[in-house]
Amino acid sequence: MAQAVLYLGNKAYSSWSLRGWLACKIAGIAFREEVHDMGAADWKTWVAARSPTGKVPCLVVDGASVWESLAIGDFLADEAPAKFWPQTPAARAQARSIAAEMHAGFVELRKAMWMNVRARFPGKGRTPGALADVARIQGLWAETRDRFGADGPFLFGAQFGMADAMYAPVVARFVTWQPELTAASKAYVAAMWSHPWMREWVAAAEAEPWRLAKYETPGD
């Protein structure tokens, strides 16, 4: 694959950017990243010139643009599907379904417990809707790990795949907001948070000079 460029928003806050970046890491491609501050006066102009939707992430390879994190994963998986998705039909069906549910759902969690990998807001954001989403996610994780994850710490075992990439921002939210979790969920969060890719992302986020007040002040 030719040199690729991945356009991203703030690593501290942009959950969608994290998913697209992790997809590139899973693929093992050479890519250059361009990160722009979402709070900058020229943010909308900058991103509109680089992404058809005016949103991040957007991956550009040989003049072809791929936007939406799940689409980026599917595009990169064409070259090496075994890196992204389980190979047995039942496991692959589960992986694609839980990834799609994450892509489309959990709106209350997104609103009440946004991503800020530098912050810690324990006890905050626990709206009824957010807690319902937390319960659903823990149920999905438990079912998936029980059925398919016996040989390793990730959702489908030893390999960090696209389903894990899709839930990585949830892991970040749980580290930040610290809702009540089961022992099994805590173990998965710990495994994800300690993965070298996640540590690389967090280190870059901590080095960013930008601060957006709306992501730095928690609600009740």
Side-chain angles (χ1 to χ4, degrees):
M1 181 177 288
Q3 175 75 36
V5 182
L6 183 66
Y7 298 106
L8 306 167
N10 305 52
K11 289 189 172 182
Y13 313 125
S14 182
S15 58
W16 296 105
S17 292
L18 172 57
R19 294 184 180 103
W21 185 85
L22 286 171
C24 291
K25 288 291 195 178
I26 293 168
I29 65 169
F31 69 99
R32 175 171 57 86
E33 58 184 70
E34 289 192 16
V35 182
H36 199 71
D37 177 19
M38 297 184 298
D42 67 341
W43 165 252
K44 289 185 178 180
T45 302
W46 183 90
V47 73
R50 291 161 175 80
S51 170
T53 59
K55 298 178 181 179
V56 288
C58 184
L59 177 68
V60 178
V61 183
D62 284 339
S65 295
V66 191
W67 59 97
E68 294 290 348
S69 53
L70 197 53
I72 290 170
D74 280 342
F75 173 78
L76 295 173
D78 286 344
E79 298 292 327
K83 291 183 176 181
F84 284 82
W85 302 108
Q87 295 305 289
T88 64
R92 189 165 61 252
Q94 179 83 0
R96 288 190 174 276
S97 294
I98 66 173
E101 185 172 349
M102 179 67 254
H103 190 268
F106 306 120
V107 174
E108 294 301 318
L109 178 68
R110 298 178 200 272
K111 290 192 298 186
M113 299 183 186
W114 54 83
M115 191 171 101
N116 182 343
V117 300
R118 294 185 300 233
R120 298 294 180 269
F121 304 135
K124 302 291 187 178
R126 297 186 180 186
T127 66
L131 292 179
D133 284 348
V134 170
R136 172 61 180 164
I137 289 166
Q138 292 197 85
L140 286 175
W141 288 356
E143 177 192 2
T144 301
R145 296 266 308 123
D146 287 347
R147 292 178 62 193
F148 305 111
D151 65 342
F154 303 112
L155 289 174
F156 291 86
Q159 183 170 304
F160 186 116
M162 193 61 198
D164 297 295
M166 293 301 294
Y167 282 88
V170 171
V171 167
R173 286 176 166 94
F174 287 177
V175 169
T176 296
W177 298 86
Q178 300 177 28
E180 298 297 329
L181 299 177
T182 65
S185 292
K186 288 179 180 178
Y188 176 64
V189 167
M192 287 284 288
W193 197 244
S194 64
H195 191 282
W197 294 338
M198 293 292 285
R199 301 316 305 155
E200 181 181 349
W201 179 274
V202 171
E206 289 174 344
E208 287 179 343
W210 312 304
R211 296 291 189 275
L212 275 66
K214 66 179 180 179
Y215 296 122
E216 297 291 341
T217 306
D220 294 331

